[in-house]
């Protein structure tokens, strides 16, 4: 199995621009998670999906962030408009069950200038 | 109290020694417990999972769970320089979410 796939691996953009991060979970995993990691706040859960349906988005910082999962093999996390404080590494993870092991993708390092 | 707490370190041990990493958790998380290893610039990688009280061994790694005292630990025997990384403790809460600690940085000196 190829594991969780994320793209792009690096993104540099200017403040105010729209940013779209992409994720392909491991085939057969019904749960997909989006995390953000910074030095100050560590690893934070933003949102997670079960069978393509958003279950808990309480970690989404504000309305500028949105996430979709149109099918079992693809999810996007969008930031519009982006701000410098959004600079972080964004990870996607998937699992068979939220109480079981989660497998992480390589992450997208976002820099907003 | 944070749901999952770890000493941020850094923890430094000589090569060949036992590294002991500790994590405490609150009543809000109590289902399943995990240890992840994260090398600098890489994604978290699952090392161990533990669901019930006691010890669980896998090679050089042993996870210990004590629900009465609300702590979970990871022991690394015969530590190697390649074990140098940040170790993240995680626990699932009743809502099914995984809550991560801040991580403990481990440095194994040759």
């Amino acid at each position: 199995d190829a594991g969780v796939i994320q793209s792009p691996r690096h993104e540099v953009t200017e403040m105010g621009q729209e940013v779209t991060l992409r994720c392909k979970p491991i085939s057969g995993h019904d749960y997909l998670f989006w995390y953000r990691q910074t030095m100050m706040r560590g690893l934070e859960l933003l949102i997670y999906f079960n069978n393509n349906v958003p279950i808990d988005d309480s970690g989404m910082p504000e309305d500028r962030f949105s996430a979709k999962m149109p099918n079992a093999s693809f999810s996007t996390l969008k930031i519009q408009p982006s701000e410098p404080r959004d600079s972080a590494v964004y990870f996607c993870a998937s699992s068979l069950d939220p109480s079981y092991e989660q497998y992480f993708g390589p992450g997208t390092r976002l820099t907003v200038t | 109290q944070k749901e999952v707490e770890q000493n941020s370190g850094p923890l430094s041990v000589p090569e060949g020694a036992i590294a002991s990493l500790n994590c405490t958790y609150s009543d809000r998380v109590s289902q399943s417990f995990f240890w992840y290893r994260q090398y600098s610039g890489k994604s978290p990688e699952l090392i161990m999972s533990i669901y019930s009280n006691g010890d669980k061994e896998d090679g050089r790694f042993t996870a210990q769970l004590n629900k009465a005292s609300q702590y979970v630990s990871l022991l690394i025997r015969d530590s190697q320089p390649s074990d140098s990384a940040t170790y993240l403790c995680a626990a699932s809460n009743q809502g099914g979410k995984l809550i991560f600690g801040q991580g403990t940085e481990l440095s194994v000196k040759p």
Side-chain angles (χ1 to χ4, degrees), chain A residues 1-21:
Chain A
D1 197 322
V4 177
I5 299 172
Q6 291 187 248
S7 64
R9 295 293 304 276
H10 301 273
E11 177 79 35
V12 180
T13 190
E14 292 183 348
M15 183 174 67
Q17 297 298 305
E18 177 180 294
V19 175
T20 299
L21 311 181

mmCIF file with all atom_site columns, all heavy atoms in Angstrom, chain A residues 1-21:
data_model
loop_
_atom_site.group_PDB
_atom_site.id
_atom_site.type_symbol
_atom_site.label_atom_id
_atom_site.label_alt_id
_atom_site.label_comp_id
_atom_site.label_asym_id
_atom_site.label_entity_id
_atom_site.label_seq_id
_atom_site.pdbx_PDB_ins_code
_atom_site.Cartn_x
_atom_site.Cartn_y
_atom_site.Cartn_z
_atom_site.occupancy
_atom_site.B_iso_or_equiv
_atom_site.pdbx_formal_charge
_atom_site.auth_seq_id
_atom_site.auth_comp_id
_atom_site.auth_asym_id
_atom_site.auth_atom_id
_atom_site.pdbx_PDB_model_num
ATOM 1   N N   . ASP A 1 1  ? 0.846   -1.193 0.000  1.00 0.00 ? 1  ASP A N   1
ATOM 2   C CA  . ASP A 1 1  ? 0.000   0.000  0.000  1.00 0.00 ? 1  ASP A CA  1
ATOM 3   C C   . ASP A 1 1  ? 0.875   1.235  0.000  1.00 0.00 ? 1  ASP A C   1
ATOM 4   O O   . ASP A 1 1  ? 1.891   1.288  0.680  1.00 0.00 ? 1  ASP A O   1
ATOM 5   C CB  . ASP A 1 1  ? -0.886  -0.021 1.250  1.00 0.00 ? 1  ASP A CB  1
ATOM 6   C CG  . ASP A 1 1  ? -2.063  0.938  1.106  1.00 0.00 ? 1  ASP A CG  1
ATOM 7   O OD1 . ASP A 1 1  ? -1.869  2.022  0.535  1.00 0.00 ? 1  ASP A OD1 1
ATOM 8   O OD2 . ASP A 1 1  ? -3.158  0.599  1.551  1.00 0.00 ? 1  ASP A OD2 1
ATOM 9   N N   . ALA A 1 2  ? 0.445   2.281  -0.733 1.00 0.00 ? 2  ALA A N   1
ATOM 10  C CA  . ALA A 1 2  ? 1.257   3.470  -0.872 1.00 0.00 ? 2  ALA A CA  1
ATOM 11  C C   . ALA A 1 2  ? 1.225   4.329  0.371  1.00 0.00 ? 2  ALA A C   1
ATOM 12  O O   . ALA A 1 2  ? 2.015   5.255  0.496  1.00 0.00 ? 2  ALA A O   1
ATOM 13  C CB  . ALA A 1 2  ? 0.771   4.277  -2.069 1.00 0.00 ? 2  ALA A CB  1
ATOM 14  N N   . GLY A 1 3  ? 0.326   4.069  1.298  1.00 0.00 ? 3  GLY A N   1
ATOM 15  C CA  . GLY A 1 3  ? 0.208   4.925  2.463  1.00 0.00 ? 3  GLY A CA  1
ATOM 16  C C   . GLY A 1 3  ? -0.621  6.147  2.140  1.00 0.00 ? 3  GLY A C   1
ATOM 17  O O   . GLY A 1 3  ? -1.165  6.302  1.043  1.00 0.00 ? 3  GLY A O   1
ATOM 18  N N   . VAL A 1 4  ? -0.699  7.057  3.101  1.00 0.00 ? 4  VAL A N   1
ATOM 19  C CA  . VAL A 1 4  ? -1.439  8.300  2.902  1.00 0.00 ? 4  VAL A CA  1
ATOM 20  C C   . VAL A 1 4  ? -0.612  9.227  2.017  1.00 0.00 ? 4  VAL A C   1
ATOM 21  O O   . VAL A 1 4  ? 0.592   9.408  2.241  1.00 0.00 ? 4  VAL A O   1
ATOM 22  C CB  . VAL A 1 4  ? -1.739  8.974  4.252  1.00 0.00 ? 4  VAL A CB  1
ATOM 23  C CG1 . VAL A 1 4  ? -2.443  10.322 4.037  1.00 0.00 ? 4  VAL A CG1 1
ATOM 24  C CG2 . VAL A 1 4  ? -2.586  8.063  5.134  1.00 0.00 ? 4  VAL A CG2 1
ATOM 25  N N   . ILE A 1 5  ? -1.258  9.789  1.010  1.00 0.00 ? 5  ILE A N   1
ATOM 26  C CA  . ILE A 1 5  ? -0.569  10.664 0.065  1.00 0.00 ? 5  ILE A CA  1
ATOM 27  C C   . ILE A 1 5  ? -1.068  12.084 0.226  1.00 0.00 ? 5  ILE A C   1
ATOM 28  O O   . ILE A 1 5  ? -2.286  12.315 0.290  1.00 0.00 ? 5  ILE A O   1
ATOM 29  C CB  . ILE A 1 5  ? -0.800  10.176 -1.385 1.00 0.00 ? 5  ILE A CB  1
ATOM 30  C CG1 . ILE A 1 5  ? -0.239  8.762  -1.559 1.00 0.00 ? 5  ILE A CG1 1
ATOM 31  C CG2 . ILE A 1 5  ? -0.161  11.132 -2.388 1.00 0.00 ? 5  ILE A CG2 1
ATOM 32  C CD1 . ILE A 1 5  ? -0.595  8.120  -2.890 1.00 0.00 ? 5  ILE A CD1 1
ATOM 33  N N   . GLN A 1 6  ? -0.145  13.035 0.293  1.00 0.00 ? 6  GLN A N   1
ATOM 34  C CA  . GLN A 1 6  ? -0.507  14.446 0.410  1.00 0.00 ? 6  GLN A CA  1
ATOM 35  C C   . GLN A 1 6  ? 0.215   15.252 -0.665 1.00 0.00 ? 6  GLN A C   1
ATOM 36  O O   . GLN A 1 6  ? 1.331   14.936 -1.053 1.00 0.00 ? 6  GLN A O   1
ATOM 37  C CB  . GLN A 1 6  ? -0.123  15.013 1.781  1.00 0.00 ? 6  GLN A CB  1
ATOM 38  C CG  . GLN A 1 6  ? -0.946  14.472 2.927  1.00 0.00 ? 6  GLN A CG  1
ATOM 39  C CD  . GLN A 1 6  ? -0.627  15.190 4.236  1.00 0.00 ? 6  GLN A CD  1
ATOM 40  O OE1 . GLN A 1 6  ? -0.064  14.594 5.151  1.00 0.00 ? 6  GLN A OE1 1
ATOM 41  N NE2 . GLN A 1 6  ? -0.986  16.476 4.320  1.00 0.00 ? 6  GLN A NE2 1
ATOM 42  N N   . SER A 1 7  ? -0.489  16.294 -1.104 1.00 0.00 ? 7  SER A N   1
ATOM 43  C CA  . SER A 1 7  ? 0.147   17.222 -2.043 1.00 0.00 ? 7  SER A CA  1
ATOM 44  C C   . SER A 1 7  ? -0.411  18.619 -1.839 1.00 0.00 ? 7  SER A C   1
ATOM 45  O O   . SER A 1 7  ? -1.558  18.767 -1.377 1.00 0.00 ? 7  SER A O   1
ATOM 46  C CB  . SER A 1 7  ? -0.092  16.773 -3.492 1.00 0.00 ? 7  SER A CB  1
ATOM 47  O OG  . SER A 1 7  ? -1.475  16.833 -3.801 1.00 0.00 ? 7  SER A OG  1
ATOM 48  N N   . PRO A 1 8  ? 0.366   19.648 -2.098 1.00 0.00 ? 8  PRO A N   1
ATOM 49  C CA  . PRO A 1 8  ? 1.797   19.580 -2.388 1.00 0.00 ? 8  PRO A CA  1
ATOM 50  C C   . PRO A 1 8  ? 2.596   19.294 -1.124 1.00 0.00 ? 8  PRO A C   1
ATOM 51  O O   . PRO A 1 8  ? 2.036   19.321 -0.028 1.00 0.00 ? 8  PRO A O   1
ATOM 52  C CB  . PRO A 1 8  ? 2.086   20.985 -2.921 1.00 0.00 ? 8  PRO A CB  1
ATOM 53  C CG  . PRO A 1 8  ? 1.136   21.861 -2.159 1.00 0.00 ? 8  PRO A CG  1
ATOM 54  C CD  . PRO A 1 8  ? -0.133  21.056 -2.024 1.00 0.00 ? 8  PRO A CD  1
ATOM 55  N N   . ARG A 1 9  ? 3.866   19.038 -1.228 1.00 0.00 ? 9  ARG A N   1
ATOM 56  C CA  . ARG A 1 9  ? 4.701   18.821 -0.042 1.00 0.00 ? 9  ARG A CA  1
ATOM 57  C C   . ARG A 1 9  ? 5.126   20.154 0.574  1.00 0.00 ? 9  ARG A C   1
ATOM 58  O O   . ARG A 1 9  ? 5.305   20.246 1.791  1.00 0.00 ? 9  ARG A O   1
ATOM 59  C CB  . ARG A 1 9  ? 5.928   18.007 -0.408 1.00 0.00 ? 9  ARG A CB  1
ATOM 60  C CG  . ARG A 1 9  ? 5.609   16.595 -0.873 1.00 0.00 ? 9  ARG A CG  1
ATOM 61  C CD  . ARG A 1 9  ? 5.046   15.735 0.256  1.00 0.00 ? 9  ARG A CD  1
ATOM 62  N NE  . ARG A 1 9  ? 5.949   15.699 1.396  1.00 0.00 ? 9  ARG A NE  1
ATOM 63  C CZ  . ARG A 1 9  ? 6.971   14.875 1.490  1.00 0.00 ? 9  ARG A CZ  1
ATOM 64  N NH1 . ARG A 1 9  ? 7.228   14.016 0.531  1.00 0.00 ? 9  ARG A NH1 1
ATOM 65  N NH2 . ARG A 1 9  ? 7.762   14.906 2.562  1.00 0.00 ? 9  ARG A NH2 1
ATOM 66  N N   . HIS A 1 10 ? 5.273   21.137 -0.271 1.00 0.00 ? 10 HIS A N   1
ATOM 67  C CA  . HIS A 1 10 ? 5.624   22.476 0.192  1.00 0.00 ? 10 HIS A CA  1
ATOM 68  C C   . HIS A 1 10 ? 4.769   23.483 -0.552 1.00 0.00 ? 10 HIS A C   1
ATOM 69  O O   . HIS A 1 10 ? 4.487   23.321 -1.744 1.00 0.00 ? 10 HIS A O   1
ATOM 70  C CB  . HIS A 1 10 ? 7.112   22.779 -0.071 1.00 0.00 ? 10 HIS A CB  1
ATOM 71  C CG  . HIS A 1 10 ? 8.040   21.834 0.591  1.00 0.00 ? 10 HIS A CG  1
ATOM 72  N ND1 . HIS A 1 10 ? 8.490   21.994 1.887  1.00 0.00 ? 10 HIS A ND1 1
ATOM 73  C CD2 . HIS A 1 10 ? 8.614   20.685 0.139  1.00 0.00 ? 10 HIS A CD2 1
ATOM 74  C CE1 . HIS A 1 10 ? 9.296   20.999 2.192  1.00 0.00 ? 10 HIS A CE1 1
ATOM 75  N NE2 . HIS A 1 10 ? 9.392   20.194 1.165  1.00 0.00 ? 10 HIS A NE2 1
ATOM 76  N N   . GLU A 1 11 ? 4.344   24.511 0.164  1.00 0.00 ? 11 GLU A N   1
ATOM 77  C CA  . GLU A 1 11 ? 3.543   25.565 -0.455 1.00 0.00 ? 11 GLU A CA  1
ATOM 78  C C   . GLU A 1 11 ? 3.969   26.887 0.150  1.00 0.00 ? 11 GLU A C   1
ATOM 79  O O   . GLU A 1 11 ? 3.940   27.052 1.375  1.00 0.00 ? 11 GLU A O   1
ATOM 80  C CB  . GLU A 1 11 ? 2.060   25.311 -0.201 1.00 0.00 ? 11 GLU A CB  1
ATOM 81  C CG  . GLU A 1 11 ? 1.132   26.384 -0.741 1.00 0.00 ? 11 GLU A CG  1
ATOM 82  C CD  . GLU A 1 11 ? 0.889   26.258 -2.230 1.00 0.00 ? 11 GLU A CD  1
ATOM 83  O OE1 . GLU A 1 11 ? 0.826   25.122 -2.728 1.00 0.00 ? 11 GLU A OE1 1
ATOM 84  O OE2 . GLU A 1 11 ? 0.769   27.295 -2.898 1.00 0.00 ? 11 GLU A OE2 1
ATOM 85  N N   . VAL A 1 12 ? 4.350   27.814 -0.714 1.00 0.00 ? 12 VAL A N   1
ATOM 86  C CA  . VAL A 1 12 ? 4.680   29.168 -0.272 1.00 0.00 ? 12 VAL A CA  1
ATOM 87  C C   . VAL A 1 12 ? 3.729   30.105 -0.983 1.00 0.00 ? 12 VAL A C   1
ATOM 88  O O   . VAL A 1 12 ? 3.625   30.064 -2.215 1.00 0.00 ? 12 VAL A O   1
ATOM 89  C CB  . VAL A 1 12 ? 6.140   29.543 -0.592 1.00 0.00 ? 12 VAL A CB  1
ATOM 90  C CG1 . VAL A 1 12 ? 6.432   30.973 -0.108 1.00 0.00 ? 12 VAL A CG1 1
ATOM 91  C CG2 . VAL A 1 12 ? 7.106   28.561 0.049  1.00 0.00 ? 12 VAL A CG2 1
ATOM 92  N N   . THR A 1 13 ? 3.031   30.930 -0.232 1.00 0.00 ? 13 THR A N   1
ATOM 93  C CA  . THR A 1 13 ? 2.060   31.814 -0.834 1.00 0.00 ? 13 THR A CA  1
ATOM 94  C C   . THR A 1 13 ? 2.049   33.153 -0.101 1.00 0.00 ? 13 THR A C   1
ATOM 95  O O   . THR A 1 13 ? 2.604   33.282 0.997  1.00 0.00 ? 13 THR A O   1
ATOM 96  C CB  . THR A 1 13 ? 0.657   31.178 -0.795 1.00 0.00 ? 13 THR A CB  1
ATOM 97  O OG1 . THR A 1 13 ? -0.244  31.943 -1.598 1.00 0.00 ? 13 THR A OG1 1
ATOM 98  C CG2 . THR A 1 13 ? 0.125   31.130 0.632  1.00 0.00 ? 13 THR A CG2 1
ATOM 99  N N   . GLU A 1 14 ? 1.423   34.116 -0.718 1.00 0.00 ? 14 GLU A N   1
ATOM 100 C CA  . GLU A 1 14 ? 1.333   35.435 -0.091 1.00 0.00 ? 14 GLU A CA  1
ATOM 101 C C   . GLU A 1 14 ? 0.029   35.577 0.673  1.00 0.00 ? 14 GLU A C   1
ATOM 102 O O   . GLU A 1 14 ? -0.995  34.976 0.305  1.00 0.00 ? 14 GLU A O   1
ATOM 103 C CB  . GLU A 1 14 ? 1.425   36.521 -1.166 1.00 0.00 ? 14 GLU A CB  1
ATOM 104 C CG  . GLU A 1 14 ? 2.793   36.595 -1.825 1.00 0.00 ? 14 GLU A CG  1
ATOM 105 C CD  . GLU A 1 14 ? 2.881   37.717 -2.840 1.00 0.00 ? 14 GLU A CD  1
ATOM 106 O OE1 . GLU A 1 14 ? 1.837   38.285 -3.188 1.00 0.00 ? 14 GLU A OE1 1
ATOM 107 O OE2 . GLU A 1 14 ? 4.003   38.028 -3.276 1.00 0.00 ? 14 GLU A OE2 1
ATOM 108 N N   . MET A 1 15 ? 0.073   36.386 1.674  1.00 0.00 ? 15 MET A N   1
ATOM 109 C CA  . MET A 1 15 ? -1.114  36.647 2.490  1.00 0.00 ? 15 MET A CA  1
ATOM 110 C C   . MET A 1 15 ? -2.281  37.054 1.586  1.00 0.00 ? 15 MET A C   1
ATOM 111 O O   . MET A 1 15 ? -2.110  37.840 0.650  1.00 0.00 ? 15 MET A O   1
ATOM 112 C CB  . MET A 1 15 ? -0.816  37.763 3.483  1.00 0.00 ? 15 MET A CB  1
ATOM 113 C CG  . MET A 1 15 ? -1.940  38.090 4.432  1.00 0.00 ? 15 MET A CG  1
ATOM 114 S SD  . MET A 1 15 ? -1.457  39.293 5.687  1.00 0.00 ? 15 MET A SD  1
ATOM 115 C CE  . MET A 1 15 ? -1.206  40.719 4.687  1.00 0.00 ? 15 MET A CE  1
ATOM 116 N N   . GLY A 1 16 ? -3.440  36.489 1.886  1.00 0.00 ? 16 GLY A N   1
ATOM 117 C CA  . GLY A 1 16 ? -4.626  36.814 1.113  1.00 0.00 ? 16 GLY A CA  1
ATOM 118 C C   . GLY A 1 16 ? -4.948  35.821 0.008  1.00 0.00 ? 16 GLY A C   1
ATOM 119 O O   . GLY A 1 16 ? -6.072  35.806 -0.497 1.00 0.00 ? 16 GLY A O   1
ATOM 120 N N   . GLN A 1 17 ? -3.992  34.994 -0.342 1.00 0.00 ? 17 GLN A N   1
ATOM 121 C CA  . GLN A 1 17 ? -4.214  34.018 -1.405 1.00 0.00 ? 17 GLN A CA  1
ATOM 122 C C   . GLN A 1 17 ? -4.952  32.792 -0.872 1.00 0.00 ? 17 GLN A C   1
ATOM 123 O O   . GLN A 1 17 ? -4.910  32.480 0.327  1.00 0.00 ? 17 GLN A O   1
ATOM 124 C CB  . GLN A 1 17 ? -2.888  33.585 -2.031 1.00 0.00 ? 17 GLN A CB  1
ATOM 125 C CG  . GLN A 1 17 ? -2.130  34.704 -2.721 1.00 0.00 ? 17 GLN A CG  1
ATOM 126 C CD  . GLN A 1 17 ? -2.924  35.279 -3.878 1.00 0.00 ? 17 GLN A CD  1
ATOM 127 O OE1 . GLN A 1 17 ? -3.338  34.548 -4.781 1.00 0.00 ? 17 GLN A OE1 1
ATOM 128 N NE2 . GLN A 1 17 ? -3.144  36.587 -3.858 1.00 0.00 ? 17 GLN A NE2 1
ATOM 129 N N   . GLU A 1 18 ? -5.593  32.097 -1.776 1.00 0.00 ? 18 GLU A N   1
ATOM 130 C CA  . GLU A 1 18 ? -6.262  30.843 -1.434 1.00 0.00 ? 18 GLU A CA  1
ATOM 131 C C   . GLU A 1 18 ? -5.258  29.699 -1.507 1.00 0.00 ? 18 GLU A C   1
ATOM 132 O O   . GLU A 1 18 ? -4.441  29.636 -2.429 1.00 0.00 ? 18 GLU A O   1
ATOM 133 C CB  . GLU A 1 18 ? -7.418  30.585 -2.391 1.00 0.00 ? 18 GLU A CB  1
ATOM 134 C CG  . GLU A 1 18 ? -8.137  29.258 -2.149 1.00 0.00 ? 18 GLU A CG  1
ATOM 135 C CD  . GLU A 1 18 ? -9.282  29.058 -3.121 1.00 0.00 ? 18 GLU A CD  1
ATOM 136 O OE1 . GLU A 1 18 ? -10.259 29.819 -3.063 1.00 0.00 ? 18 GLU A OE1 1
ATOM 137 O OE2 . GLU A 1 18 ? -9.206  28.111 -3.939 1.00 0.00 ? 18 GLU A OE2 1
ATOM 138 N N   . VAL A 1 19 ? -5.337  28.800 -0.530 1.00 0.00 ? 19 VAL A N   1
ATOM 139 C CA  . VAL A 1 19 ? -4.457  27.635 -0.483 1.00 0.00 ? 19 VAL A CA  1
ATOM 140 C C   . VAL A 1 19 ? -5.311  26.379 -0.411 1.00 0.00 ? 19 VAL A C   1
ATOM 141 O O   . VAL A 1 19 ? -6.277  26.323 0.372  1.00 0.00 ? 19 VAL A O   1
ATOM 142 C CB  . VAL A 1 19 ? -3.544  27.680 0.766  1.00 0.00 ? 19 VAL A CB  1
ATOM 143 C CG1 . VAL A 1 19 ? -2.722  26.413 0.881  1.00 0.00 ? 19 VAL A CG1 1
ATOM 144 C CG2 . VAL A 1 19 ? -2.642  28.910 0.722  1.00 0.00 ? 19 VAL A CG2 1
ATOM 145 N N   . THR A 1 20 ? -4.987  25.383 -1.216 1.00 0.00 ? 20 THR A N   1
ATOM 146 C CA  . THR A 1 20 ? -5.708  24.112 -1.186 1.00 0.00 ? 20 THR A CA  1
ATOM 147 C C   . THR A 1 20 ? -4.719  22.979 -0.979 1.00 0.00 ? 20 THR A C   1
ATOM 148 O O   . THR A 1 20 ? -3.786  22.806 -1.759 1.00 0.00 ? 20 THR A O   1
ATOM 149 C CB  . THR A 1 20 ? -6.498  23.884 -2.480 1.00 0.00 ? 20 THR A CB  1
ATOM 150 O OG1 . THR A 1 20 ? -7.460  24.932 -2.636 1.00 0.00 ? 20 THR A OG1 1
ATOM 151 C CG2 . THR A 1 20 ? -7.242  22.547 -2.414 1.00 0.00 ? 20 THR A CG2 1
ATOM 152 N N   . LEU A 1 21 ? -4.948  22.221 0.087  1.00 0.00 ? 21 LEU A N   1
ATOM 153 C CA  . LEU A 1 21 ? -4.119  21.061 0.392  1.00 0.00 ? 21 LEU A CA  1
ATOM 154 C C   . LEU A 1 21 ? -4.925  19.804 0.079  1.00 0.00 ? 21 LEU A C   1
ATOM 155 O O   . LEU A 1 21 ? -6.140  19.762 0.319  1.00 0.00 ? 21 LEU A O   1
ATOM 156 C CB  . LEU A 1 21 ? -3.716  21.071 1.866  1.00 0.00 ? 21 LEU A CB  1
ATOM 157 C CG  . LEU A 1 21 ? -3.132  22.394 2.412  1.00 0.00 ? 21 LEU A CG  1
ATOM 158 C CD1 . LEU A 1 21 ? -2.764  22.257 3.869  1.00 0.00 ? 21 LEU A CD1 1
ATOM 159 C CD2 . LEU A 1 21 ? -1.972  22.862 1.585  1.00 0.00 ? 21 LEU A CD2 1
#
